[in-house]
């Protein structure tokens, strides 16, 4: 059954409110993150308002956030900042994704990706970016080839990320894909841009998630005995830097650890996003779960 923007968004909100154990009318404001729905559905400007109004949540101040792949985390960051500041929760009652890079530099970016693919002997990656697939897959593929060349990471390790995640998805009734794949099946799938086969690339799909944030005082008032605490939320944008220098992921991770007063060794579970399997291995490294170049080993060890 296909669901539209309003239906899938409303379902997530209703489930989150029910899980929080609060009445819907207790909500005081909403931050709604979404990327590219304007191009996909035609709904512009008031996406959050139309989703929430469809379930009787009009009148609320609604802030729409669009920040590419970080749209939802940026919305959460902004909501947490406003609650922390005390503004709320007081005591009272394809073409779409090509637009997520610098469009004025598009030709230069595409040429650089094609040149990199040709130099590395990547046949599939030498053409078709932005036409047959999202050009982001070519960006991730180039990063993957660089990681392999610098650290000896293998394509089998990248495939191991997809196999692991497909196994997790097979146990989740809400997952878009529920077929558990082996490393061999991932590697045997159609090539998209070397070394990325189809299961190593995220597809375009519709989904929704929601979270209810309250202050510590409100949590006590509601009788929440074991709340989940947002210990830190850090947001940065990317910048031009050398490959080996600290990037946005490393900077955000370092600042978040410092603010929360914890380190990588204190984590018990990590849920992370990126659009390709190699990017997850790189995330292990900038999160400090292993040294630079050690992400592939974590996959081999089944960490």
């Amino acid at each position: 059954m296909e669901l539209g923007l309003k239906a899938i968004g409303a379902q997530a909100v209703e489930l989150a409110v029910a899980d929080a154990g609060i009445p819907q009318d207790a909500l005081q404001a909403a931050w709604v993150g979404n990327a590219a729905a304007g191009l996909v559905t035609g709904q512009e400007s008031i996406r959050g308002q139309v989703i929430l109004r469809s379930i009787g949540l009009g009148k609320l101040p609604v802030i729409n956030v669009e920040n590419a792949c970080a749209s939802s985390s940026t919305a959460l960051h902004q909501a947490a900042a406003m609650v922390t500041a005390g503004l709320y929760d007081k005591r009272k009652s394809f073409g779409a994704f090509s637009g997520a890079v610098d469009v004025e530099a598009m030709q230069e970016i595409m040429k650089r990706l094609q040149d990199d693919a040709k130099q590395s002997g990547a046949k599939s990656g030498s053409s078709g970016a932005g036409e047959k697939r999202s050009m982001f897959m070519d960006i991730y593929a180039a990063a993957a080839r660089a990681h392999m060349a610098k650290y000896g990471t293998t394509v089998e390790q990248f495939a191991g990320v997809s196999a692991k995640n497909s196994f997790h998805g097979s146990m989740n009734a809400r997952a878009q894909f529920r077929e558990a794949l082996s490393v061999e099946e991932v590697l045997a799938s159609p090539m998209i841009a070397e070394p990325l086969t189809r299961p190593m690339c995220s597809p375009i799909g519709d989904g929704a998630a929601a979270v209810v944030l309250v202050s510590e005082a409100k949590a006590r008032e509601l009788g929440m005995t074991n709340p989940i605490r947002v210990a830190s939320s850090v947001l940065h944008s990317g910048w031009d830097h050398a490959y080996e220098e600290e990037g946005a992921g490393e900077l955000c991770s370092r600042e978040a650890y410092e603010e929360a007063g914890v380190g990588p060794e204190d984590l018990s579970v990590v849920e992370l996003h990126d659009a390709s399997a190699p990017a997850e291995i790189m995330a292990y490294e900038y999160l400090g779960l292993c040294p630079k170049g050690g992400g592939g080993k974590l996959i081999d060890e089944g960490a």
Side-chain angles (χ1 to χ4, degrees), residues 70-303:
S71 295
S72 61
S73 55
T74 304
L76 177 67
H77 176 83
Q78 294 296 298
M82 291 298 101
V83 171
T84 301
L87 184 61
Y88 292 104
D89 205 16
K90 299 174 183 176
R91 291 185 175 271
K92 60 180 183 180
S93 26
F94 284 135
F97 297 102
S98 294
V101 298
D102 186 343
V103 294
E104 293 185 11
M106 182 72 72
Q107 287 185 328
E108 179 188 344
I109 294 170
M110 297 288 278
K111 185 178 185 304
R112 202 159 57 231
L113 289 170
Q114 290 170 356
D115 289 346
D116 178 88
K118 288 175 182 177
Q119 289 171 11
S120 65
K123 295 180 181 179
S124 296
S126 298
S127 62
E131 299 172 0
K132 298 178 181 179
R133 59 184 177 270
S134 163
M135 66 177 292
F136 278 105
M137 291 306 103
D138 294 82
I139 293 172
Y140 284 116
R145 293 192 295 268
H147 202 273
M148 295 170 79
K150 186 173 180 65
Y151 299 114
T153 313
T154 67
V155 68
E156 287 79 12
Q157 290 169 334
F158 294 149
V161 172
S162 298
K164 169 184 66 70
N165 292 344
S166 72
F167 173 68
H168 292 161
S170 71
M171 298 183 288
N172 182 356
R174 297 188 181 278
Q176 183 175 5
F177 299 110
R178 299 195 62 193
E179 179 187 3
L181 300 175
S182 66
V183 169
E184 292 73 23
E185 287 172 323
V186 173
L187 292 174
S189 297
M191 184 63 68
I192 302 301
E194 290 89 352
L196 308 185
T197 61
R198 186 182 291 159
M200 296 187 203
C201 306
S202 65
I204 294 175
D206 300 321
V211 63
V212 176
L213 294 175
V214 299
S215 67
E216 290 188 65
K218 177 61 73 172
R220 288 193 296 270
E221 181 184 319
L222 293 170
M224 296 180 179
T225 56
N226 190 29
I228 296 170
R229 179 169 172 259
V230 179
S232 177
S233 178
V234 175
L235 182 67
H236 283 285
S237 293
W239 66 93
D240 295 328
H241 60 83
Y243 179 75
E244 64 277 4
E245 292 178 348
E246 181 181 68
E250 291 164 302
L251 176 60
C252 286
S253 299
R254 178 167 54 79
E255 291 185 352
Y257 286 139
E258 291 172 358
E259 185 177 16
V262 301
E265 67 280 358
D266 298 306
L267 304 180
S268 57
V269 64
V270 175
E271 182 174 347
L272 60 85
H273 157 81
D274 230 311
S276 73
E280 181 172 321
I281 282 180
M282 296 170 201
Y284 300 161
E285 298 168 11
Y286 70 63
L287 286 169
L289 305 180
C290 62
K292 278 285 186 73
K297 186 178 178 183
L298 289 186
I299 287 293
D300 289 340
E301 294 172 348

